[in-house]
């Protein structure tokens, strides 16, 4: 019997081997996938006589009493190349042909070499704001969150957590001294642009030299603060201010950071600020439009961003600001103020159901087109047909085939459509005989809304967003001619637009040679926004 097996006595028996080895890098560890079918339970693995798994590297051996489809190799804390060998053994400790791989794990030394974007820092003598104006995610890492820790001037340890858009408001600090804060970034590092398996924490100490009460600060909205009476831009110089007024066209509220004792805000302009103005001088038309008190049908052309309103929210949360006066939708920060309703802090200005448009916002259409849009425009009309409650009448006599006049608000604003859905006005049209033959189109009106007149392209940063109603929808019926008739334009489709110009075109721009046998005289009045 032994003579029959003797020829095979020197042969080596190899159990079944794993069919692949692929690494995934983690923090001071790697995961090794060993089977092409993916990660499956040991109970589903059948490899002949193989019964155990052995991992070897750096003179170490790890024995697993089962077959596995993947392995987590830990304690790889050296920044070097590890050569790892994985094989199976059977019940007689026969070894399979090993799978081998070389890996370099991500270690503490790699974390120490990572850098993140520097924060923006604002300081006052007793407080600091730390935020980031650009994304913290980069080619080197994916940012997840931020923890921070510092000690205030009373020795109290302050800890906090910030999410994807971190911002830290540190208060109760020592003026004129160094302020130290530990920023703990929770990140996922990347290797060759690919994220590793694990999140790690990158701790970066930050030291800020705090100003004194006599240190000068540089506000963003200097002119607005000066209008409030600020003459000395230092902490000491503004310490006595308890109330500030901001106009609706304010771009940022971050200057509130420098006012530690402010308790009240008026965000309507109050008695301090008028609406802005614009000067027009073209085609013989010279006029200044705008000015005067804030009007509820006006809103800021683009909302104040959450970031630029955050200082106000910080002061509200700290209980420093105790009252805010605000006109709904005017600055686009309604969503930030509503959480404070329950505390009775926000005074929402009650807007009227209708808001009349003052005459200083109207322009002769010749400003755009001296011939085609020409009207003999009398504003306000000195004589006009009798009627009930006629307000701000306008007389318009057609001189060009596309006779038009314009209502426009300054470029810092747009129409407050969330508050006022309708534009309404009255019109008095001439007799039916006026519209005989080719002049039939002049029995209708064409309301047009836009960001700017085409001759004034620099008035909007948002391009042109024209919305023109269908002129046929605004034909005045025969029975309503020669009487004051109400017209309503639904503005709801304009809510997302930056429209600030409204044109009334008489006739809808028909194609004809304009030479009517008699004057075509129209009267308009009561232009208003309505809920």
């Amino acid at each position: 019997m032994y003579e029959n097996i003797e020829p095979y006595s020197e042969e080596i028996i190899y159990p079944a081997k794993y069919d692949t080895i692929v690494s995934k890098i983690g923090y001071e560890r790697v995961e090794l996938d060993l089977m092409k079918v993916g990660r499956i339970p040991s109970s589903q693995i059948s490899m002949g006589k193989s019964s155990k798994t052995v991992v070897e590297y750096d003179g170490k051996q790890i024995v697993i009493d089962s077959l596995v489809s993947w392995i987590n190799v830990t304690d790889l804390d050296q920044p070097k190349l590890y050569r790892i060998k994985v094989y199976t053994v059977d019940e007689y400790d026969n070894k399979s042909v090993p799978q081998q791989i070389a890996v370099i794990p991500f270690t503490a030394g790699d974390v120490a070499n990572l850098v993140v974007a520097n924060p923006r820092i604002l300081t006052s003598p007793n407080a600091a704001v730390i935020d980031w104006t650009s994304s913290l995610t980069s080619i080197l890492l994916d940012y997840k969150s931020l923890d921070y820790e510092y000690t205030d001037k009373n020795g109290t340890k302050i800890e906090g957590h910030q999410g994807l858009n971190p911002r830290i408001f540190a208060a109760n600090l020592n003026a004129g001294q160094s302020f130290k804060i530990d920023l703990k970034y929770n990140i996922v590092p990347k290797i060759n642009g690919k994220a590793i398996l694990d999140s790690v924490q990158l701790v970066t100490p930050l030291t800020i030299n705090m100003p004194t009460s006599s240190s000068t600060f540089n506000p963003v909205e200097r002119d607005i603060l000066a209008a409030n009476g600020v003459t000395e831009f230092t902490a000491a110089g503004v310490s006595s201010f308890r109330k500030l007024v901001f106009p609706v066209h304010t771009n940022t509220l971050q200057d509130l950071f420098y006012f530690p004792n402010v308790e009240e805000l008026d965000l309507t302009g109050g008695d301090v600020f008028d609406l802005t103005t614009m000067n027009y001088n073209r085609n013989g038309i010279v006029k200044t439009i705008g000015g005067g008190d804030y009007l509820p049908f006006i809103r800021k052309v683009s909302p104040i961003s959450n970031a630029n309103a955050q200082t106000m929210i910080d002061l509200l949360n700290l209980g420093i600001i105790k009252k805010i006066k605000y006109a709904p939708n005017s600055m686009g920060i309604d969503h930030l103020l509503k959480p404070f309703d329950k505390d009775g802090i926000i005074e929402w200005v009650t807007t009227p159901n209708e808001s009349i448009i003052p005459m200083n916002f109207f322009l002769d259409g010749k400003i755009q087109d001296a011939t085609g849009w020409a009207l003999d425009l009398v504003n306000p009309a000195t004589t006009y047909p009798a009627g009930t409650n006629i307000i701000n009448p306008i007389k318009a006599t057609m001189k060009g085939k596309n006779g038009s006049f314009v209502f426009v608000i300054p470029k810092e604003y747009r129409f407050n459509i969330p508050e006022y859905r309708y534009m309404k006005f009255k019109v008095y049209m001439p007799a039916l005989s006026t519209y005989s033959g080719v002049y039939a189109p002049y029995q209708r009106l064409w309301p047009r809304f836009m960001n700017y007149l085409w001759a004034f392209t620099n008035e909007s940063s948002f391009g042109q967003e024209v919305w023109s109603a269908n002129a046929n929808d605004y034909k005045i019926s025969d029975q309503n001619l020669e009487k004051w008739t109400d017209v309503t334009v639904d503005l709801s489709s304009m809510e997302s637009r930056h429209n600030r110009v409204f044109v009334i075109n008489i006739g809808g721009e028909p194609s004809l040679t304009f030479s009517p046998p008699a004057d075509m005289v129209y009267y308009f009045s009561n232009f208003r926004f309505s809920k």
Side-chain angles (χ1 to χ4, degrees):
M1 182 173 114
Y2 291 104
E3 291 174 355
N4 291 333
I5 66 171
E6 185 175 0
Y8 307 100
S9 61
E10 300 300 322
E11 289 190 359
I12 299 174
I13 299 173
Y14 292 99
K17 68 173 184 175
Y18 289 113
D19 58 13
T20 190
I21 187 167
V22 178
S23 68
K24 296 178 181 177
I25 304 300
Y27 178 67
E28 297 187 348
R29 70 185 186 99
V30 295
E31 292 183 3
L32 302 177
D33 285 288
L34 303 172
M35 303 189 72
K36 294 179 180 178
V37 295
R39 297 185 176 187
I40 59 176
S42 296
S43 60
Q44 297 180 16
I45 301 174
S46 177
M47 296 173 60
K49 297 295 184 179
S50 297
S51 59
K52 297 180 181 180
T53 302
V54 180
V55 182
E56 292 183 355
Y57 66 95
D58 272 15
K60 298 180 182 179
Q61 186 181 81
I62 302 172
V63 179
I64 302 172
D65 290 333
S66 62
L67 300 177
V68 292
S69 60
W70 68 282
I71 299 171
N72 180 27
V73 183
T74 59
D75 299 324
L76 306 180
D77 56 5
Q78 299 301 310
K80 68 172 188 175
L81 180 74
Y82 288 86
R83 297 188 184 277
I84 302 176
K85 182 167 60 176
V86 183
Y87 56 87
T88 66
V89 296
D90 62 14
E91 59 182 316
Y92 302 109
D93 288 333
N94 293 309
K95 300 178 181 179
S96 72
V97 175
Q99 292 284 8
Q100 300 184 66
I101 194 168
V103 298
I104 301 176
F106 201 89
T107 64
D110 298 302
V111 174
N113 291 327
L114 291 174
V115 292
V116 295
N118 291 325
R120 177 179 62 177
I121 301 170
L122 294 175
T123 57
S124 69
N126 304 111
V129 169
I130 303 168
D131 64 5
W132 287 258
T133 57
S134 59
S135 173
L136 289 175
T137 291
S138 68
I139 193 173
L140 298 176
L141 56 90
D142 286 331
Y143 167 81
K144 298 300 181 182
S145 63
L146 171 69
D147 297 303
Y148 63 90
E149 179 182 314
Y150 68 90
T151 301
D152 69 12
K153 69 179 182 181
N154 296 329
T156 303
K157 184 178 179 180
I158 308 297
E159 296 178 315
H161 177 83
Q162 294 287 315
L164 291 179
N165 298 301
R167 185 178 186 278
I168 302 169
F169 185 94
N172 197 29
L173 307 179
N174 285 306
Q177 297 186 17
S178 294
F179 163 56
K180 296 180 180 180
I181 181 171
D182 283 334
L183 304 176
K184 304 174 183 180
Y185 301 93
N186 300 308
I187 60 172
V188 178
K190 295 179 181 178
I191 298 177
N192 296 326
K194 184 178 181 180
I196 70 169
L197 295 172
D198 302 312
S199 175
V200 301
Q201 192 169 77
L202 174 61
V203 179
T204 304
L206 177 65
T207 300
I208 301 171
N209 293 320
M210 301 299 293
T212 65
S213 59
S214 61
S215 299
T216 301
F217 64 84
N218 186 26
V220 180
E221 301 279 16
R222 178 178 288 269
D223 291 343
I224 291 176
L225 298 184
N228 275 271
V230 179
T231 57
E232 182 183 341
F233 292 91
T234 66
V238 302
S239 62
S240 62
F241 282 80
R242 298 292 186 270
K243 178 181 178 179
L244 290 173
V245 180
F246 290 87
V248 167
H249 55 267
T250 300
N251 290 316
T252 178
L253 297 170
Q254 73 178 42
D255 291 337
L256 288 172
F257 175 71
Y258 301 110
F259 291 79
N261 300 315
V262 67
E263 296 179 349
E264 182 178 349
L265 300 180
D266 184 341
L267 302 182
T268 70
D271 296 327
V272 178
F273 297 95
D274 287 337
L275 294 169
T276 60
T277 60
M278 292 188 70
N279 297 314
Y280 285 92
N281 185 347
R282 188 174 185 269
N283 294 337
I285 304 301
V286 180
K287 187 170 184 179
T288 298
I289 62 97
D293 293 338
Y294 169 73
L295 298 164
F297 60 78
I298 286 176
R299 67 183 301 196
K300 191 177 184 302
V301 68
S302 56
I304 294 179
S305 68
N306 288 3
N308 282 334
Q310 186 58 50
T311 296
M312 176 188 68
I313 302 305
D314 291 334
L315 297 177
L316 283 167
N317 286 326
L318 290 171
I320 295 174
I321 292 179
K322 298 177 173 58
K323 180 181 178 182
I324 293 180
K325 184 177 182 180
Y326 179 75
N329 299 299
S330 59
M331 288 177 158
I333 56 174
D334 305 58
H335 62 293
L336 298 176
L337 297 176
K338 285 180 180 177
F340 299 94
D341 265 348
K342 63 182 184 299
D343 302 318
I345 294 174
I346 312 303
E347 178 190 343
W348 300 89
V349 174
T350 301
T351 55
N353 289 329
E354 293 192 330
S355 182
I356 291 288
I357 302 172
M359 302 311 291
N360 59 312
F361 289 93
F362 284 89
L363 275 173
D364 191 319
K366 290 193 288 289
I367 197 80
Q368 169 63 36
D369 185 341
T371 55
W373 281 27
L375 293 170
D376 181 1
L377 196 67
V378 183
N379 180 16
T382 53
T383 60
Y384 52 90
T388 302
N389 192 31
I390 301 302
I391 301 173
N392 296 338
I394 298 172
K395 180 181 179 181
T397 304
M398 294 289 291
K399 296 299 180 181
K401 77 179 186 71
N402 301 325
S404 302
F405 61 91
V406 182
F407 156 58
V408 58
I409 57 178
K411 62 183 179 181
E412 290 84 2
Y413 313 108
R414 61 169 154 164
F415 301 142
N416 193 355
I417 307 304
E419 194 70 9
Y420 292 101
R421 178 176 175 176
Y422 302 101
M423 167 79 78
K424 295 182 178 181
F425 58 92
K426 292 179 179 290
V427 62
Y428 187 101
M429 304 278 273
L432 182 61
S433 59
T434 307
Y435 311 110
S436 61
V438 296
Y439 297 100
Y442 292 98
Q443 195 175 340
R444 64 185 185 177
L445 304 172
W446 192 20
R448 308 180 71 185
F449 297 84
M450 59 200 73
N451 296 0
Y452 54 84
L453 290 171
W454 294 273
F456 303 93
T457 56
N458 63 337
E459 288 185 359
S460 175
S461 301
F462 303 94
Q464 183 61 286
E465 299 171 325
V466 173
W467 179 76
S468 297
N470 188 330
N472 291 324
D473 293 340
Y474 298 92
K475 180 180 178 181
I476 303 303
S477 62
D478 295 353
Q479 61 268 30
N480 283 325
L481 299 175
E482 295 187 284
K483 65 170 69 172
W484 285 106
T485 302
D486 289 305
V487 178
T488 298
V489 184
D490 189 335
L491 308 177
S492 56
S493 62
M494 290 168 38
E495 184 167 341
S496 63
R497 301 172 186 263
H498 299 84
N499 293 160
R500 46 171 285 276
V501 177
F502 168 49
V503 175
I504 282 287
N505 170 275
I506 300 172
E509 297 193 352
S511 178
L512 52 78
T513 299
F514 187 76
S515 182
D519 280 345
M520 305 172 71
V521 182
Y522 300 76
Y523 296 89
F524 299 86
S525 73
N526 296 69
F527 278 98
R528 64 203 186 275
F529 285 86
S530 176
K531 296 182 179 183

